Coordinates of all heavy atoms in Angstrom, one line a residue:
M1 N 163.9 93.7 -64.0 CA 164.7 94.6 -63.1 C 163.7 95.6 -62.4 O 162.9 96.2 -63.0 CB 165.7 95.3 -63.9 CG 166.6 96.2 -63.0 SD 167.9 97.0 -64.0 CE 168.7 98.0 -62.9
E2 N 163.9 95.7 -61.1 CA 163.0 96.6 -60.3 C 163.3 98.0 -60.7 O 164.4 98.5 -60.8 CB 163.2 96.4 -58.9 CG 162.5 97.4 -58.0 CD 162.8 97.3 -56.5 OE1 163.8 96.5 -56.2 OE2 162.2 98.0 -55.7
R3 N 162.3 98.8 -60.9 CA 162.4 100.2 -61.2 C 162.3 100.9 -59.8 O 161.3 101.0 -59.2 CB 161.4 100.8 -62.2 CG 161.7 100.2 -63.6 CD 160.7 100.6 -64.6 NE 159.8 101.7 -64.3 CZ 159.4 102.7 -65.2 NH1 159.9 102.8 -66.3 NH2 158.5 103.5 -64.7
L4 N 163.5 101.5 -59.5 CA 163.5 102.3 -58.2 C 162.8 103.6 -58.4 O 162.9 104.3 -59.5 CB 165.0 102.5 -57.8 CG 165.8 101.2 -57.6 CD1 167.2 101.5 -57.4 CD2 165.2 100.4 -56.4
R5 N 162.2 104.1 -57.3 CA 161.5 105.4 -57.4 C 162.5 106.6 -57.5 O 162.2 107.6 -58.0 CB 160.6 105.6 -56.2 CG 159.3 104.7 -56.3 CD 158.4 104.9 -55.1 NE 158.1 106.3 -55.0 CZ 157.7 106.9 -53.9 NH1 157.6 106.2 -52.8 NH2 157.4 108.2 -53.9
Y6 N 163.7 106.4 -56.9 CA 164.7 107.5 -56.8 C 166.0 106.8 -57.3 O 166.4 105.7 -56.9 CB 164.8 108.0 -55.4 CG 166.0 109.0 -55.3 CD1 165.9 110.3 -55.5 CD2 167.3 108.5 -54.9 CE1 166.8 111.2 -55.4 CE2 168.4 109.4 -54.8 CZ 168.1 110.8 -55.1 OH 169.1 111.6 -54.9
R7 N 166.7 107.6 -58.2 CA 168.0 107.1 -58.6 C 168.9 108.4 -58.7 O 168.5 109.4 -59.2 CB 168.0 106.5 -60.0 CG 167.2 105.2 -59.9 CD 167.2 104.4 -61.2 NE 168.5 104.1 -61.6 CZ 168.7 103.4 -62.7 NH1 167.8 103.2 -63.6 NH2 170.0 103.1 -63.1
L8 N 170.1 108.2 -58.4 CA 171.1 109.2 -58.5 C 172.2 108.7 -59.5 O 172.9 107.7 -59.3 CB 171.9 109.6 -57.2 CG 173.0 110.6 -57.3 CD1 172.4 112.0 -57.8 CD2 173.8 110.8 -56.0
I9 N 172.2 109.3 -60.7 CA 173.1 108.9 -61.7 C 174.4 109.8 -61.7 O 174.3 111.0 -61.7 CB 172.4 109.0 -63.1 CG1 171.1 108.3 -63.1 CG2 173.2 108.4 -64.3 CD1 171.0 106.9 -62.7
T10 N 175.5 109.1 -61.7 CA 176.8 109.8 -61.7 C 177.7 109.3 -62.9 O 177.5 108.1 -63.3 CB 177.5 109.7 -60.4 OG1 177.8 108.3 -60.2 CG2 176.6 110.3 -59.3
G11 N 178.6 110.1 -63.3 CA 179.6 109.6 -64.3 C 180.2 110.8 -64.9 O 179.9 112.0 -64.7
P12 N 181.3 110.5 -65.7 CA 181.9 111.6 -66.5 C 180.9 112.4 -67.2 O 179.9 111.9 -67.8 CB 182.9 110.9 -67.4 CG 183.0 109.5 -66.9 CD 181.8 109.2 -66.1
D13 N 181.1 113.8 -67.3 CA 180.2 114.7 -68.0 C 180.5 114.5 -69.5 O 181.3 115.3 -70.1 CB 180.4 116.1 -67.5 CG 179.5 117.1 -68.2 OD1 178.4 116.6 -68.6 OD2 179.8 118.2 -68.2
D14 N 179.9 113.6 -70.2 CA 180.1 113.3 -71.5 C 178.8 112.9 -72.2 O 177.7 112.9 -71.6 CB 181.2 112.2 -71.8 CG 180.9 110.9 -71.1 OD1 179.8 110.6 -70.7 OD2 181.8 110.1 -71.0
A15 N 178.9 112.5 -73.5 CA 177.7 112.1 -74.3 C 177.1 110.9 -73.7 O 175.8 110.8 -73.7 CB 178.1 112.0 -75.8
E16 N 177.8 110.0 -73.2 CA 177.3 108.8 -72.7 C 176.4 109.1 -71.4 O 175.3 108.5 -71.2 CB 178.4 107.7 -72.2 CG 177.8 106.4 -71.7 CD 176.8 105.7 -72.5 OE1 176.9 105.8 -73.8 OE2 176.0 105.0 -72.0
F17 N 176.9 110.0 -70.5 CA 176.1 110.3 -69.4 C 174.7 111.0 -69.9 O 173.7 110.6 -69.3 CB 176.8 111.5 -68.6 CG 176.1 111.9 -67.3 CD1 176.1 111.2 -66.2 CD2 175.3 113.1 -67.4 CE1 175.4 111.6 -65.1 CE2 174.7 113.5 -66.3 CZ 174.7 112.7 -65.1
C18 N 174.8 111.8 -70.8 CA 173.5 112.4 -71.4 C 172.6 111.3 -72.0 O 171.4 111.4 -71.8 CB 173.9 113.4 -72.5 SG 174.7 114.9 -71.8
R19 N 173.2 110.3 -72.6 CA 172.4 109.2 -73.2 C 171.7 108.4 -72.0 O 170.6 108.0 -72.1 CB 173.2 108.3 -74.0 CG 173.5 108.8 -75.5 CD 174.1 107.7 -76.3 NE 175.6 107.6 -76.1 CZ 176.4 108.4 -76.6 NH1 176.2 109.3 -77.4 NH2 177.7 108.2 -76.4
R20 N 172.4 108.2 -71.0 CA 171.9 107.5 -69.8 C 170.7 108.2 -69.2 O 169.7 107.6 -68.9 CB 173.0 107.3 -68.7 CG 174.0 106.3 -69.1 CD 175.2 106.3 -68.2 NE 174.8 105.9 -66.8 CZ 175.5 106.2 -65.7 NH1 176.6 106.8 -65.8 NH2 175.0 105.8 -64.6
I21 N 170.9 109.5 -69.0 CA 169.8 110.3 -68.4 C 168.6 110.4 -69.4 O 167.4 110.2 -69.0 CB 170.2 111.8 -68.1 CG1 171.3 111.8 -67.0 CG2 169.1 112.7 -67.7 CD1 170.9 111.3 -65.7
S22 N 168.9 110.5 -70.7 CA 167.8 110.6 -71.8 C 167.0 109.2 -71.8 O 165.8 109.3 -71.9 CB 168.5 110.9 -73.1 OG 169.0 112.2 -73.2
A23 N 167.7 108.1 -71.6 CA 167.1 106.8 -71.6 C 166.1 106.7 -70.4 O 165.0 106.2 -70.5 CB 168.1 105.7 -71.6
L24 N 166.5 107.2 -69.3 CA 165.7 107.2 -68.0 C 164.5 108.1 -68.2 O 163.4 107.7 -67.8 CB 166.5 107.6 -66.8 CG 167.5 106.5 -66.4 CD1 168.5 107.1 -65.3 CD2 166.8 105.3 -65.8
L25 N 164.7 109.2 -68.9 CA 163.5 110.1 -69.2 C 162.5 109.3 -70.1 O 161.3 109.5 -69.9 CB 163.9 111.4 -69.8 CG 164.9 112.3 -68.9 CD1 165.4 113.5 -69.6 CD2 164.1 112.7 -67.6
E26 N 163.0 108.6 -71.0 CA 162.1 107.9 -71.9 C 161.3 106.8 -71.2 O 160.3 106.4 -71.5 CB 163.0 107.2 -73.0 CG 163.5 108.2 -74.1 CD 162.4 108.7 -74.9 OE1 161.5 108.0 -75.4 OE2 162.5 110.0 -75.3
E27 N 162.0 106.2 -70.1 CA 161.3 105.2 -69.3 C 160.3 105.8 -68.3 O 159.7 105.1 -67.6 CB 162.4 104.4 -68.5 CG 163.3 103.6 -69.3 CD 164.3 102.9 -68.5 OE1 164.1 102.7 -67.2 OE2 165.4 102.5 -69.0
G28 N 160.2 107.1 -68.3 CA 159.1 107.7 -67.3 C 159.7 108.5 -66.2 O 158.9 109.1 -65.4
Y29 N 161.0 108.4 -65.9 CA 161.6 109.2 -64.9 C 161.5 110.7 -65.2 O 161.5 111.0 -66.4 CB 163.1 108.8 -64.6 CG 163.2 107.4 -63.9 CD1 163.3 106.2 -64.7 CD2 163.4 107.4 -62.5 CE1 163.5 105.0 -64.0 CE2 163.5 106.1 -61.9 CZ 163.6 105.0 -62.6 OH 163.7 103.8 -61.9
V30 N 161.6 111.5 -64.2 CA 161.7 112.9 -64.3 C 162.8 113.5 -63.5 O 163.2 112.8 -62.5 CB 160.3 113.7 -63.9 CG1 159.2 113.2 -64.8 CG2 160.0 113.4 -62.4
L31 N 163.4 114.5 -64.0 CA 164.6 115.2 -63.3 C 164.1 115.6 -61.9 O 163.0 116.1 -61.7 CB 165.1 116.3 -64.1 CG 165.6 116.0 -65.5 CD1 166.1 117.3 -66.1 CD2 166.8 114.9 -65.4
H32 N 165.0 115.4 -60.9 CA 164.7 115.9 -59.5 C 165.8 116.8 -59.1 O 166.9 116.3 -58.7 CB 164.5 114.7 -58.6 CG 164.2 115.1 -57.2 ND1 163.0 115.5 -56.9 CD2 165.0 115.0 -56.1 CE1 163.0 115.8 -55.6 NE2 164.1 115.5 -55.1
G33 N 165.6 118.1 -59.2 CA 166.6 119.1 -58.8 C 167.6 119.3 -60.0 O 167.5 118.6 -61.0
P34 N 168.5 120.2 -59.8 CA 169.5 120.5 -60.8 C 170.6 119.5 -60.8 O 170.8 118.8 -59.8 CB 170.0 121.9 -60.4 CG 169.9 121.9 -58.9 CD 168.6 121.1 -58.6
P35 N 171.3 119.4 -61.9 CA 172.5 118.6 -62.0 C 173.6 119.2 -61.1 O 173.6 120.3 -60.8 CB 172.9 118.6 -63.5 CG 172.4 119.9 -63.9 CD 171.1 120.2 -63.2
T36 N 174.6 118.3 -60.8 CA 175.7 118.8 -60.1 C 177.0 118.3 -60.8 O 177.0 117.4 -61.5 CB 175.7 118.1 -58.6 OG1 176.8 118.7 -57.8 CG2 175.8 116.7 -58.6
L37 N 178.0 119.2 -60.6 CA 179.3 118.9 -61.3 C 180.4 119.0 -60.3 O 180.4 119.8 -59.4 CB 179.5 119.9 -62.5 CG 178.6 119.8 -63.6 CD1 178.8 121.0 -64.5 CD2 178.7 118.5 -64.3
T38 N 181.4 118.2 -60.4 CA 182.6 118.3 -59.6 C 183.8 117.8 -60.5 O 183.6 117.4 -61.6 CB 182.5 117.4 -58.3 OG1 183.6 117.7 -57.4 CG2 182.5 115.9 -58.7
W39 N 185.0 118.1 -60.0 CA 186.2 117.8 -60.6 C 187.0 116.8 -59.8 O 187.3 117.1 -58.6 CB 187.0 119.1 -60.8 CG 188.4 119.0 -61.3 CD1 189.6 119.0 -60.6 CD2 188.8 118.7 -62.7 NE1 190.6 118.9 -61.5 CE2 190.2 118.7 -62.7 CE3 188.1 118.5 -63.9 CZ2 190.9 118.4 -63.8 CZ3 188.9 118.2 -65.0 CH2 190.2 118.2 -65.0
D40 N 187.4 115.7 -60.4 CA 188.1 114.7 -59.6 C 189.6 114.7 -59.8 O 190.3 113.9 -59.4 CB 187.6 113.2 -59.9 CG 188.0 112.8 -61.3 OD1 188.7 113.5 -62.0 OD2 187.5 111.7 -61.6
G41 N 190.1 115.8 -60.4 CA 191.5 116.0 -60.7 C 191.9 115.7 -62.0 O 192.9 116.0 -62.5
K42 N 191.0 114.9 -62.7 CA 191.2 114.5 -64.1 C 190.0 114.8 -65.0 O 190.1 115.1 -66.2 CB 191.5 113.0 -64.2 CG 192.8 112.5 -63.5 CD 193.0 111.1 -63.6 CE 192.3 110.4 -62.4 NZ 192.3 109.0 -62.4
T43 N 188.8 114.6 -64.4 CA 187.6 114.6 -65.3 C 186.5 115.4 -64.5 O 186.5 115.3 -63.3 CB 187.1 113.1 -65.4 OG1 188.2 112.4 -66.0 CG2 185.9 113.0 -66.4
V44 N 185.7 116.0 -65.3 CA 184.5 116.6 -64.7 C 183.5 115.5 -64.5 O 183.2 114.7 -65.5 CB 183.9 117.7 -65.6 CG1 182.5 118.2 -65.1 CG2 184.9 118.8 -65.8
V45 N 182.9 115.3 -63.3 CA 182.0 114.3 -63.0 C 180.7 114.9 -62.8 O 180.5 115.9 -62.0 CB 182.5 113.5 -61.8 CG1 181.4 112.4 -61.4 CG2 183.8 112.8 -62.0
A46 N 179.6 114.4 -63.4 CA 178.3 114.9 -63.3 C 177.4 114.0 -62.4 O 177.6 112.8 -62.4 CB 177.6 115.1 -64.7
G47 N 176.3 114.6 -61.8 CA 175.4 113.8 -61.1 C 174.1 114.4 -61.4 O 173.9 115.6 -61.4
Q48 N 173.0 113.5 -61.5 CA 171.7 114.0 -61.7 C 170.7 113.0 -61.0 O 170.7 111.8 -61.2 CB 171.3 114.1 -63.2 CG 169.8 114.5 -63.4 CD 169.5 115.8 -63.0 OE1 170.1 116.9 -63.4 NE2 168.6 116.0 -62.1
A49 N 169.8 113.5 -60.2 CA 168.8 112.7 -59.5 C 167.6 112.6 -60.4 O 167.2 113.7 -61.1 CB 168.4 113.3 -58.1
V50 N 167.0 111.5 -60.5 CA 165.8 111.3 -61.3 C 164.7 110.5 -60.4 O 165.2 109.7 -59.5 CB 165.9 110.5 -62.6 CG1 166.8 111.3 -63.5 CG2 166.6 109.2 -62.4
V51 N 163.5 110.7 -60.5 CA 162.5 110.0 -59.7 C 161.4 109.6 -60.7 O 161.1 110.1 -61.7 CB 161.9 111.0 -58.6 CG1 162.9 111.3 -57.6 CG2 161.2 112.2 -59.2
L52 N 160.7 108.5 -60.2 CA 159.4 108.1 -60.9 C 158.3 108.8 -60.3 O 158.1 108.7 -59.1 CB 159.2 106.6 -60.8 CG 160.0 105.7 -61.7 CD1 159.9 104.2 -61.3 CD2 159.6 105.9 -63.2
P53 N 157.4 109.4 -61.1 CA 156.3 110.1 -60.5 C 155.3 109.0 -59.9 O 155.2 107.9 -60.3 CB 155.6 110.7 -61.7 CG 156.6 110.8 -62.8 CD 157.5 109.6 -62.6
T54 N 154.7 109.4 -58.8 CA 153.9 108.6 -58.0 C 152.4 108.8 -58.2 O 151.5 108.0 -57.7 CB 154.1 108.6 -56.5 OG1 153.9 109.9 -56.1 CG2 155.6 108.2 -56.3
G55 N 152.1 109.9 -58.8 CA 150.7 110.3 -59.0 C 150.2 111.2 -57.8 O 149.1 111.6 -57.7
Q56 N 151.1 111.2 -56.7 CA 150.8 112.0 -55.5 C 151.5 113.3 -55.5 O 151.3 114.1 -54.6 CB 151.2 111.2 -54.3 CG 150.5 109.9 -54.2 CD 151.0 109.1 -53.0 OE1 151.7 109.6 -52.2 NE2 150.7 107.8 -53.0
D57 N 152.3 113.6 -56.5 CA 153.1 114.8 -56.6 C 152.2 116.0 -57.1 O 151.3 115.8 -57.9 CB 154.3 114.6 -57.5 CG 155.2 113.5 -56.9 OD1 155.1 113.2 -55.7 OD2 156.0 112.9 -57.7

């Protein structure tokens, strides 16, 4: 599977979301900016951008 340089991960703000972000950090991604939260009327939905370092940063 191709590793994209930029990814925006979204989903319910729960333990599974945290596991998904943690797994990407283990793969070498780094957080890009702060997380974002919104309410869809039923659930708090989180979003977090991650990037792969290029060595030029």
Side-chain angles (χ1 to χ4, degrees):
M1 180 176 176
E2 177 187 3
R3 289 183 4 142
L4 301 172
R5 288 184 53 207
Y6 173 88
R7 294 183 64 184
L8 177 62
I9 308 304
T10 61
D13 184 24
D14 58 13
E16 179 57 28
F17 180 82
C18 294
R19 281 190 281 278
R20 291 171 59 203
I21 297 297
S22 294
L24 289 168
L25 296 175
E26 289 289 323
E27 291 178 23
Y29 283 89
V30 295
L31 301 177
H32 182 72
T36 186
L37 297 172
T38 191
W39 171 256
D40 70 2
K42 297 179 271 180
T43 306
V44 175
V45 179
Q48 176 64 60
V50 295
V51 295
L52 278 174
T54 63
Q56 299 174 12
D57 301 335

